[in-house]
Amino acid sequence: GAVVSQHPSRVICKSGTSVKIECRSLDFQATTMFWYRQFPKQSLMLMATSNEGSKATYEQGVEKDKFLINHASLTLSTLTVTSAHPEDSSFYICSAFRPDQPQHFGDGTRLSIL
Amino acid sequence: AQRVTQPEKLLSVFKGAPVELKCNYSYSGSPELFWYVQYSRQRLQLLLRHISRESIKGFTADLNKGETSFHLKKPFAQEEDSAMYYCALGSNAGNMLTFGGGTRLMVKP
């Protein structure tokens, strides 16, 4: 099946640091990539939808200046959490999509802000 | 607005017992429903989708538009079925997914 690689898998950093998370679709070209956030024992919440070469579409309540998304190619999207604070600590998951295929998910990135 | 509801956070059964994980949805358009599974320390994986009408690992799910349900069933649970199961509703040609809260299935020996 399709493989989506997410890096890093775990990040621990100090408050105020900016953190970049990469999402790569390794064996197919994804027209769209999605970024989700998952709190402990809760479901996935869609943060934003990213199409290659265009601006990301953010869900209501998600700060676009806090969570910067860049989708430079059909195989790579990045999420940068800017000036992270403890409340940004969470599990971030990306997925890659192309028409007529279901979404394929990455392993997720656990972000811990001290 | 679209919504997916999984009423049970935890479902515990013995090995060999039948399993039904409930999922109800609300959506004004033509729905596309999925079940995703997440085994311990692994990524989210697609288990099945309603348009395929297939059985994966012994699991089946039928879309009931009258009851707006897409319950996941398996006649005989196995210990390796223990995992988190998420029901998801696809919109915009299946592009956008709305997830239910998830149900943790525990199959006891």
Side-chain angles (χ1 to χ4, degrees):
Chain A
V3 178
V4 175
S5 171
Q6 196 171 331
H7 178 80
S9 58
R10 179 74 193 259
V11 180
I12 302 173
C13 58
K14 293 181 179 178
S15 184
T17 307
S18 292
V19 179
K20 180 186 282 188
I21 304 169
E22 291 188 352
C23 180
R24 294 179 184 273
S25 60
L26 298 183
D27 55 356
F28 73 103
Q29 292 187 323
T31 52
T32 306
M33 287 188 172
F34 299 91
W35 287 96
Y36 296 86
R37 186 171 178 176
Q38 186 177 29
F39 290 102
K41 300 190 179 183
Q42 294 190 28
S43 188
L44 285 77
M45 298 295 294
L46 179 65
M47 297 175 65
T49 303
S50 168
N51 292 295
E52 184 262 341
S54 62
K55 289 184 179 180
T57 303
Y58 290 81
E59 295 299 300
Q60 193 172 10
V62 178
E63 298 176 57
K64 58 181 68 176
D65 294 330
K66 161 68 84 175
F67 299 101
L68 300 178
I69 292 173
N70 183 278
H71 195 158
S73 74
L74 286 171
T75 59
L76 173 64
S77 176
T78 61
L79 168 68
T80 301
V81 184
T82 62
S83 187
H85 292 283
E87 59 266 28
D88 299 323
S89 298
S90 192
F91 194 58
Y92 294 88
I93 305 172
C94 73
S95 72
F97 171 84
R98 68 178 185 188
D100 300 327
Q101 289 285 325
Q103 289 184 32
H104 295 279
F105 289 82
D107 281 329
T109 297
R110 185 161 302 284
L111 176 62
S112 299
I113 308 298
L114 305 178
Chain B
Q2 56 205 57
R3 174 175 283 189
V4 179
T5 303
Q6 292 179 248
E8 303 137 327
K9 286 190 178 296
L10 173 66
L11 185 61
S12 182
V13 301
F14 285 103
K15 175 183 173 182
V19 169
E20 182 179 54
L21 286 82
K22 292 184 167 53
C23 172
N24 288 92
Y25 68 91
S26 69
Y27 182 54
S28 57
S30 182
E32 186 170 1
L33 276 300
F34 304 82
W35 276 100
Y36 281 85
V37 60
Q38 189 171 30
Y39 300 102
S40 180
R41 300 183 184 279
Q42 295 188 27
R43 69 181 61 196
L44 209 61
Q45 304 172 38
L46 178 67
L47 181 61
L48 52 79
R49 55 197 304 193
H50 90 270
I51 61 173
S52 302
R53 299 188 66 81
E54 56 192 344
S55 174
I56 304 294
K57 299 183 180 183
F59 286 96
T60 59
D62 291 316
L63 178 61
N64 186 323
K65 292 186 177 181
E67 296 182 358
T68 61
S69 68
F70 188 57
H71 302 328
L72 183 68
K73 300 177 184 179
K74 184 169 182 176
F76 308 103
Q78 303 299 314
E79 288 181 69
E80 55 266 29
D81 295 328
S82 297
M84 278 294 293
Y85 290 81
Y86 293 96
C87 181
L89 169 67
S91 57
N92 192 16
N95 193 345
M96 305 276 293
L97 286 177
T98 300
F99 284 87
T103 298
R104 180 170 297 283
L105 174 64
M106 292 179 57
V107 182
K108 298 175 286 188

